[in-house]
Amino acid sequence: MVVAGATNGTVETRGSLVMEARTGGAELLSELLTPRLLKLAEAAVVSSVRPELMESNGNGTRCGEHILSYGRAEKVLIGGALAVLTLSTICGNMLVVISVCVVKKLRQPSNYLIVSLAVADLSVALAVMPFVSVTDLIGGRWLFGHFFCNVFIAMDVMCCTASIMTLCVISIDRYLGITKPLTYPVRQNGCCMAKMIVSVWLLSASITLPPLFGWAQNVNDGRVCLISQDFGYTVYSTAVAFYIPMSVMLIMYYRIYRAAKLSAAKHTITGFPRAGECRGGKDFLSPPLPLVVVDSGESTSVRATDTEEEEESLDCVSAALKLQREVEEECGSRVSRLLKASEHHQRRRQKKNQSIFKREQKAAATLGIVVGAFTFCWLPFFLVSTARPFVCGVECSCVPLWLERTLLWLGYANSLINPFIYAFFNRDLRTTYSNLLRCRYRNINRKLSAAGMHEALKLAEKPSDM
């Protein structure tokens, strides 16, 4: 029994030791795993609560761009501003297209480029701005899927590039029209303009192809839709879409400005002597002194023998003087006619010079405002877009979202102001806008023709006042 009892006590003692060992091991294991589990749980909670944080940019650091959170008042204010900007862009560019299509006087090859510009800006307002507005209202999150992200970026790049490159072609067209007024209008036909417009759109579309065919993939992680940040593609796209057109526009503006400045230096309205001021040409065709035969005291008997010869001499002198007067009158009338013709030619040349001078000044002013507005609207955005991949890497953007969106909408504003810039310097467009906005569709062509005739009569009356 003792043995059995002793044996039983020994068995119980060993069992209690085993249980204590197991309990201690579990407590030790829990102490080791608990911190790690807590860290994992915390990371899961953070990722679920703040999904707006961007992924790592490849350098082990997170991007500084966050999905923004707006209050109700901010959403109403931002939504109202973006809606007004979008609707104004649509209405302004539709006015340009309708005006050129309705008014016969505006259907000229030189206005085809303005229509192409209006179509590009209208495409931006219809196909790009609404999606950007919705994305901005919800703080920058992309909701339209991966496939439509590529389509949206392609439309955005193509339409904006077409607008910018059309402005570039318009500057070249204005420069050639000013510097070659005799030969360029002959070449400026509808077929030539159509080829230029097609070339602009094809070149604009070519910029959108690389991301669609695998050269540079757009950034789309389900939350953000961003154009490809590949270094080579960024340099290529920004150079073709902005920097090269801007350089060409600046060169054209400088040349037009220089031509206008030289024309202003040479343009002097000088008076020309009228026909009456020359007194019929008698200033330089004065008659010679008449021939006078003087008797120095000879005797009358000697003179009597020469009476017949003197009478014949006087008849010859009279005939010579009469012939001289007739020649003077004829020469004077001819000189007067020549002076009048020369004066008329001088006035016509002055009128032509004035017309060229005004056209050069108008072209320089128009192109200066266009280039200035274009540079002000797009330069900040493209500077940021060019520097972004070199600063942030190719995976995401480290530019604050509010700054990036502000610069983007500043660029979109260029599509709004283009129609009004050209209307400000074009009387026919202003008149057409006014009639269309007041729903006066009838007799627009007749009103423009009457206004043109009135302007021509005013120009015709100006030389007579000189």
Side-chain angles (χ1 to χ4, degrees), residues 227-254:
I227 192 172
S228 173
Q229 299 298 291
D230 181 79
F231 298 116
Y233 177 72
T234 299
V235 173
Y236 162 72
S237 60
T238 55
V240 176
F242 177 75
Y243 292 110
I244 294 177
M246 183 186 70
S247 301
V248 174
M249 291 174 67
L250 291 175
I251 292 173
M252 294 298 103
Y253 171 68
Y254 171 73

Side-chain angles (χ1 to χ4, degrees), residues 44-201:
V45 170
V46 171
S47 62
S48 62
V49 174
R50 301 181 63 187
E52 65 272 13
L53 291 175
M54 298 291 293
E55 299 295 331
S56 174
N57 63 359
N59 299 325
T61 59
R62 292 184 179 275
C63 294
E65 182 180 13
H66 300 275
I67 301 299
L68 301 178
S69 178
Y70 298 122
R72 185 182 299 272
E74 292 175 332
K75 288 184 178 180
V76 171
L77 182 63
I78 294 174
L82 298 184
V84 169
L85 181 59
T86 303
L87 293 176
S88 301
T89 305
I90 293 173
C91 294
N93 289 282
M94 284 187 66
L95 275 176
V96 175
V97 177
I98 294 174
S99 299
V100 178
C101 292
V102 170
V103 179
K104 185 183 299 183
K105 188 177 180 180
L106 295 176
R107 290 199 293 267
Q108 302 174 1
S110 59
N111 289 331
Y112 292 172
L113 290 173
I114 298 180
V115 174
S116 176
L117 175 64
V119 170
D121 293 335
L122 184 62
S123 301
V124 172
L126 292 175
V128 178
M129 289 186 182
F131 299 100
V132 180
S133 301
V134 173
T135 303
D136 289 348
L137 283 177
I138 60 176
R141 187 186 302 276
W142 180 256
L143 299 178
F144 303 101
H146 179 77
F147 174 77
F148 191 73
C149 173
N150 293 328
V151 176
F152 167 77
I153 290 177
M155 288 295 297
D156 187 9
V157 173
M158 182 179 69
C159 296
C160 292
T161 304
S163 175
I164 293 171
M165 295 190 68
T166 304
L167 287 173
C168 175
V169 175
I170 289 175
S171 67
I172 298 174
D173 176 73
R174 294 295 185 265
Y175 170 73
L176 293 177
I178 291 298
T179 57
K180 299 180 180 180
L182 299 179
T183 59
Y184 183 68
V186 178
R187 304 175 185 175
Q188 191 187 41
N189 50 37
C191 182
C192 178
M193 287 298 171
K195 292 179 180 179
M196 294 171 64
I197 292 171
V198 171
S199 301
V200 165
W201 283 91

